[in-house]
Amino acid sequence: MANRYDDEKFGNVVREYVRGRISRRQFIGRGAQLGLSAAVLAKMTRPSRAAANLIESDPVAPYESPITPERVAFLKTKPYKGTALNILVAKITVGDCLKHYVPQWEEQTGGKVNVAEVPIDALHTQIFSDLSSGLGKYDAYMTGCWFYGDFFVPKDPYIVSTEKFLADPKHAYWDPDQWIPSMRKLYSWNGKIYGTLMDGDAQALYFRKDVFANKDVQEKFKAKYNYDLPAPPKTTKEYHDITDFFTGWDWNGDGQNDWGISLHAKVNEQGFFHFLTLSAPFIISPDNKYYFFNPETMKPLINSEGHLRALEDYVKFLANGPKEQIAWTLGQGWDRFLAGHSATEPTWGDLPTLAQDPKTSKVQGKMGAAPLPGTTEAFNPITGEWKNYDLNQVGNTNGGTWHCVISRMSKKQEATYDFLSLMANKKNALWNAATGWTGVQPGMKFEYFPPIGTGNVEEWKALGWNEDDAVEYLKAYYAVLAAPVQQEYLRIPGAAEYWHELDVNISAVLGGQMQPKAALDATAAAWEKITDRYGRDKQKALYQASFT
Amino acid sequence: MAGRRIERLEHGVAFKYALLLPAVIWVFAFTFLPLLAVLRYSFSSYVMGEGITGFVGFDNYVDVLTSPSFWQSIFVTVIFVVVAVPIQLVLGFLAAWLVTLGAPGSRTFTTIIGSPLFTLEVAIGYLGVTFFTDQGGLIAVPLAALGIHVPWMSTAFGGIAGAIILDIWRWTSFIFIIVLAGLAGIPGELYDAAVLDAKSHWQVMWHLAVPLAWPVITIAVLLRVVECLKVFAIPFALTSGGPGTSTQTFSAMDYLTTIQFFDFGKGSAMAIVFLVLVSVVLTVFFQQMRKSLA
């Protein structure tokens, strides 16, 4: 940009395009008039790779858009009449999302889908009992990404790559090139795609921007902490002040005391992800990418000085929310924020999405969103040194990124992929990401607004979103997914077990049964045993490979 | 004659063995062989997808016996047994006694009290979450309104107490039904005679009903102790074993180790150690029971 004036003009052009008021061609043309490279603009707003062969819709496939001519011809034959699929899912919102597509697929293809649901804490057991016993009852499994390493323990992996099906235009169309790279990595193993698009998890900070913008609140904050209320907080120090400030008084005027933060920390659920995310900037930095293990020795890093300080910090965060958070499930944590009783919540994108439903939310149009706060000091557990930074903020892909993988024992792999691809089709993927109860978050560029992707806010508004909430959420979410400094995602065999040990020990600290140092030392000792059982050299090779 | 008698006897012995054979096969196949398999696993390292990866001697046993979590889970299980079973016994017996006395509404009460027995334990555990949560819980909120704030879900005490309350609700009717049958088996004329001699129903209960129903009571207690030592679904559904592992029972810990994380080696060692501990407890229990019956 030549100057501030051009910058603003281009910003207006972007906003017009995001809001769907001008076409892609007009966007490129106006950008070029402002001196920007048309080639770069075209690349920024690149349509899907097979766009030339796509049609917008066809009566034979009412639930898909866009669609290939080959798909239209294929569906006319009711190709899976007499085929029944068995799919195992977790009894969580993403499982409900999958079930939503069962009648649609059955109508279009003539096939049948039987969905078995298990509680989230039993999902890993059910999947790997079925696979390791050789029963192979299921054609596909809904998986959390941290299960991936376990699928690849046997020489002949338990799941099959979907790349051969992806290349076949007779299946529902979706373009893996649209994936944000950090998300694509989670659906792949050794560079090959195994998963079919559903979810795209990351944790960001959500806050009540209306309350943060209140003049009285701002004055009170400044009087207490001697600096302006930061919206959003940039550092964990600021975030602590904010959670402390908003705790224990009635800032929403409903006669009840409110809270500064809402978390869920019930053991054996997904609460440990909060610790992983909030602790990251104490350990991960431009100078260190290793959080879990020393890649040379596979010795745990989890009881390093940085982790210890992070855990002490995490305990303080919990103290600024309701005491019962320690036993809350994910939904209970969200409910407190959605009911308007919590000023902030560091969590997944479900929260702003659920906030759009006025039946269950009092905070639509009031959602602020930002990457999670960083630190000004981080510990490098490899060199054993603290180092200062202006601001060390860390992105993440923490969460399940729940999606389905196909069993190698399935006799109906192609039909199974066909069902899964229906959910990955652009029309459905966007609907999933924008609809609260699906539990699905956006991981594809077409869901984001230019210059990141090709989406536009009108699509989100049509799905019930407040315009500002959508813009702010997607901007923050992308910043988390594409942050230059990213927290690693543990996907080696036994990841579920490593995380379980961390989970129970953190919970013991929160419950007052252990001191942070003892808890992290106990976690490290347990991790050593797990590593030895799986084979240190094998684990080391896989851990190192996860960074390539 | 002698030859024929021997032949008949041999035929009889063979027939007896033949009758016993299915039971022997059953026990061998479904008790002895699995026990041998568990023993073998307990001395091995096991990885899901690879199977047994090596012989590790007593490492798994050392791991288990030096694990604070293991002893914590034993402690929680024992607390469960020593608190829940006596309360269930007292409540179940008193209810059965009142029904035996023909208290008003006995028939309706007998029908209602049995209903929790037909409810899945895991469902009761999840239902407990709605009872004890601070967000509108059916038990927590009224108590809080009375100024009684129990940290049901956020502390070990609250979690165990909540799980024990649910277990008592579920299983008191079991004691009630067995004891009711035992009390019904006492001849009516003994009651009639005792009522004439005694000053109160309390004396009749204590000096007549309890001693005569004692064999039935001990069986009921034995069954409840065995079941309670295996307690899993209610506390696990309610608290998931947390905070930390503070409400994790032995069964939950063994489930997580063996089934969730496929560590068959450590899980099997855990099961063997527990089997030994329980065998000792039950042996003592049986000895005491024999003495009291004698």
Side-chain angles (χ1 to χ4, degrees), chain A residues 138-149:
Chain A
Y138 301 103
D139 298 294
Y141 309 92
M142 180 166 281
T143 183
C145 286
W146 71 98
F147 299 178
Y148 255 75

Side-chain angles (χ1 to χ4, degrees), chain A residues 86-88 116 126 130 135-141 407 409-410:
Chain A
N86 295 305
I87 297 180
L88 180 70
Q126 294 287 329
D130 189 52
L135 280 176
K137 282 187 293 184
Y138 301 103
D139 298 294
Y141 309 92
S407 168
M409 285 181 251
S410 168

Side-chain angles (χ1 to χ4, degrees), chain A residues 119 121-122 124-125 128-129 132 150 153-154 158 266-269 323-324 326-328 332 335-336 496-497 500 504 507-508 511 513 529 533-534 538, chain B residues 45-50 53 63 126 129 133-135 153-156 236-246 248 255-256 259-263:
Chain A
D121 57 352
H124 183 269
T125 307
F128 291 100
S129 296
S132 63
D150 294 331
V153 172
Y158 284 134
K266 187 174 184 181
V267 74
N268 283 320
E269 295 264 337
K323 192 175 183 333
E324 293 77 13
I326 192 173
W328 278 359
Q332 287 175 296
D335 285 347
R336 187 61 60 132
E497 201 174 343
H500 172 75
V504 292
S507 176
Q513 295 136 23
K529 285 178 185 164
R533 185 158 63 84
Y534 278 90
K538 278 188 203 166
Chain B
S45 173
Y46 185 96
V47 172
M48 188 268 302
E50 292 182 12
T53 54
D63 254 14
Y126 284 120
V129 176
T133 177
D134 63 313
Q135 294 176 308
M153 306 290 282
S154 55
T155 61
F236 198 69
L238 183 69
T239 65
S240 293
T245 54
S246 61
Q248 187 169 274
Y255 159 77
L256 289 169
I259 307 298
Q260 184 142 337
F261 302 123
F262 297 91
D263 189 348

Side-chain angles (χ1 to χ4, degrees), chain A residues 48-218:
Chain A
S48 304
R49 64 180 176 178
N53 299 324
L54 294 172
I55 50 179
E56 197 55 33
S57 63
D58 190 280
V60 83
Y63 305 112
E64 294 173 29
S65 177
I67 183 167
T68 63
E70 291 87 346
R71 174 75 170 163
V72 173
F74 186 56
L75 288 179
K76 281 179 180 164
T77 66
K78 293 285 175 200
Y80 297 117
K81 198 169 182 184
T83 301
L85 307 177
N86 295 305
I87 297 180
L88 180 70
V89 305
K91 193 160 179 48
I92 53 176
T93 48
V94 192
D96 292 337
C97 176
L98 180 138
K99 286 197 293 181
H100 172 78
Y101 290 96
V102 167
Q104 299 182 6
W105 187 78
E106 289 178 346
E107 182 190 326
Q108 286 194 166
T109 67
K112 173 143 184 53
V113 182
N114 303 309
V115 180
E117 295 175 279
V118 291
I120 189 170
D121 57 352
L123 182 66
H124 183 269
T125 307
Q126 294 287 329
I127 292 174
F128 291 100
S129 296
D130 189 52
L131 289 168
S132 63
S133 65
L135 280 176
K137 282 187 293 184
Y138 301 103
D139 298 294
Y141 309 92
M142 180 166 281
T143 183
C145 286
W146 71 98
F147 299 178
Y148 255 75
D150 294 331
F151 289 119
F152 292 89
V153 172
K155 280 182 187 153
D156 190 8
Y158 284 134
I159 56 176
V160 294
S161 168
T162 52
E163 289 190 351
K164 63 181 171 184
F165 305 120
L166 252 167
D168 189 340
K170 74 182 179 195
H171 298 300
Y173 176 79
W174 68 285
D175 180 4
D177 288 343
Q178 287 284 313
W179 252 322
I180 291 164
S182 57
M183 275 296 135
R184 183 180 184 130
K185 200 175 166 187
L186 292 182
Y187 282 78
S188 310
W189 189 264
N190 279 340
K192 277 172 100 175
I193 296 171
Y194 282 82
T196 306
L197 170 69
M198 269 195 91
D199 195 8
D201 275 335
Q203 291 196 325
L205 176 67
Y206 302 98
F207 61 98
R208 288 286 300 279
K209 68 179 179 194
D210 59 322
V211 178
F212 277 58
N214 182 305
K215 287 270 175 348
D216 288 344
V217 167
Q218 289 174 351

Side-chain angles (χ1 to χ4, degrees), chain A residues 13-20 22-24 27 45 450 454 456:
Chain A
V13 175
V14 169
R15 271 187 285 280
E16 295 267 291
Y17 181 60
V18 169
R19 286 164 171 76
I22 59 173
S23 68
R24 175 173 175 267
F27 171 72
T45 57
T454 54
N456 76 69

Side-chain angles (χ1 to χ4, degrees), chain B residues 5-268:
Chain B
R5 205 177 297 139
I6 290 165
E7 190 185 314
R8 206 181 298 148
L9 188 66
E10 279 176 351
H11 177 79
V13 169
F15 185 63
K16 284 175 190 165
Y17 280 131
L19 285 177
L20 276 175
L21 195 59
V24 171
I25 291 172
W26 180 273
V27 170
F28 187 78
F30 296 109
T31 303
F32 189 66
L33 283 184
L35 189 62
L36 280 183
V38 169
L39 262 175
R40 179 169 168 250
Y41 280 129
S42 74
F43 291 104
S44 313
S45 173
Y46 185 96
V47 172
M48 188 268 302
E50 292 182 12
I52 290 177
T53 54
F55 175 74
V56 295
F58 285 93
D59 284 4
N60 289 326
Y61 287 94
V62 173
D63 254 14
V64 168
L65 293 170
T66 56
S67 160
S69 316
F70 173 74
W71 292 110
Q72 165 77 15
S73 74
I74 297 288
F75 175 72
V76 172
T77 308
V78 169
I79 290 286
F80 220 91
V81 174
V82 300
V83 176
V85 175
I87 295 175
Q88 288 164 4
L89 177 65
V90 170
L91 293 179
F93 186 91
L94 286 176
W97 176 242
L98 287 174
V99 170
T100 304
L101 290 180
S106 292
R107 200 172 281 179
T108 313
F109 178 74
T110 307
T111 309
I112 292 171
I113 196 176
S115 56
L117 271 181
F118 302 100
T119 312
L120 281 176
E121 285 202 341
V122 69
I124 291 174
Y126 284 120
L127 197 63
V129 176
T130 66
F131 288 167
F132 298 119
T133 177
D134 63 313
Q135 294 176 308
L138 290 175
I139 290 177
V141 170
L143 283 180
L146 296 172
I148 305 168
H149 295 277
V150 182
W152 293 107
M153 306 290 282
S154 55
T155 61
F157 171 79
I160 292 173
I164 286 175
I165 289 171
L166 294 175
D167 195 78
I168 289 168
W169 179 57
R170 168 76 154 82
W171 284 106
T172 296
S173 50
F174 175 80
I175 301 270
F176 165 79
I177 289 167
I178 291 186
V179 173
L180 186 65
L183 293 175
I186 298 171
E189 53 269 29
L190 290 180
Y191 279 124
D192 295 339
V195 167
L196 289 175
D197 289 343
K199 288 178 185 164
S200 66
H201 283 300
W202 168 255
Q203 285 190 337
V204 177
M205 185 191 86
W206 192 247
H207 295 294
L208 177 85
V210 171
L212 289 179
W214 191 246
V216 175
I217 292 169
T218 50
I219 292 296
V221 170
L222 177 69
L223 291 173
R224 279 306 302 134
V225 168
V226 170
E227 279 300 312
C228 225
L229 285 168
K230 295 188 292 183
V231 66
F232 171 70
I234 288 177
F236 198 69
L238 183 69
T239 65
S240 293
T245 54
S246 61
T247 59
Q248 187 169 274
T249 60
F250 167 78
S251 295
M253 187 179 185
D254 206 17
Y255 159 77
L256 289 169
T257 307
T258 316
I259 307 298
Q260 184 142 337
F261 302 123
F262 297 91
D263 189 348
F264 283 12
K266 193 172 167 189
S268 299

